[in-house]
Structures are given as C-alpha cells and as structure tokens.
Amino acid sequence: GVLDAMVTGLSNNGESLSKTSAAQQAELERQDAALNTVRYCIGTSRDLKDMNIIRNGEVVTEGYQSDYFTQIDLRRVTSIPVYAKKAELKTKHPKSSYRLVKGEDKMLTLEITNPKEFWSLSKILVVQIY
C-alpha cells in the first residue's frame, strides 16, 4: 500500500527531474549558441554601400541589410575564404587575433587565430574586398 505509493512517487520525481535537466540543457545550449553566434559579410565598397552596411566609410550598426550577412558559430568557424586578392576588415578586431593568408591562387582567406579575442570587440565582421 503506502510504501508502494511512496516508491512510485519517488521514481516519478526522478523522471521529471531528468526531463527538467534535459530542458535546461537545451536552453543552455541555445543560449550558448546565441552567445557564440556572430555574423559576417564580404563585399566590394559598392556592395557594402548598396546594402547600407557602410556609409561614409564607416560601418553602420543599424538599418543595414542583415540577410546579406552569414551567421556562424565562432567556435566552429575559424577560416573564412574572402575570394579576393585584397581585403580590409572594416569592423574592429584585435590585429593579433587573425591573419589574411594568401592561397596558391593569390586569393585571401581570413584565418582567425584567436576567436574569443577576434570577436571580443564586434559580433559582426565586415570585410571589404578590392
């Protein structure tokens, strides 16, 4: 009787606890992903002006065309092909946290050597290519 009911009650508690922790885990992962979500775009001076990303040589922080940006997880993406021979980062990123590497085809790839540091000043990256 009573003892059985208590045992059953205990095992139900155990189940709902594991459900809660799974939900919390999912929520933490979602927050984690959000914290580590950054965006980048690459374009010529004209592209960036047309998309309202750069105005008067400065990166615009609002009202830009956000669908022009690629969303990435900064923990997973540390190498971004630029598909150009000359490129300049228009957003602020510590010089020590990245390098532009020339491939055999003379095309540049942005190698992010220290992702945490690289994205510490700006969660968006705007690369102007020439």
Side-chain angles (χ1 to χ4, degrees), residues 90-103:
K90 303 299 278 184
T91 37
K92 302 228 180 322
H93 304 277
K95 285 261 188 286
S96 57
S97 65
Y98 70 90
R99 59 178 188 261
L100 285 163
V101 181
K102 217 173 229 144

Side-chain angles (χ1 to χ4, degrees), residues 4-5 14 17 21 24 43 54 60 62 70 77 96 103 109 111 114-115 120:
D4 287 340
L17 272 175
S21 66
Q24 282 172 332
I54 287 194
V60 179
E62 50 196 22
T70 303
V77 180
S96 57
T109 297
E111 297 282 351
N114 184 336
S120 64

Side-chain angles (χ1 to χ4, degrees), residues 18-77:
S18 63
K19 275 193 191 120
T20 306
S21 66
Q24 282 172 332
Q25 186 60 39
E27 176 61 17
L28 283 172
E29 279 167 19
R30 195 187 61 73
Q31 287 172 355
D32 209 35
L35 280 176
N36 290 291
T37 296
V38 289
R39 295 183 177 83
Y40 76 89
C41 74
I42 297 168
T44 61
S45 168
R46 168 163 228 110
D47 294 336
L48 297 173
K49 281 190 184 118
D50 288 350
M51 294 293 164
N52 209 16
I53 293 163
I54 287 194
R55 207 178 304 136
N56 306 327
E58 293 296 310
V59 175
V60 179
T61 49
E62 50 196 22
Y64 57 81
Q65 203 138 349
S66 56
D67 55 5
Y68 188 65
F69 283 81
T70 303
Q71 199 165 302
I72 56 169
D73 183 324
L74 66 84
R75 295 164 299 182
R76 295 199 176 93
V77 180

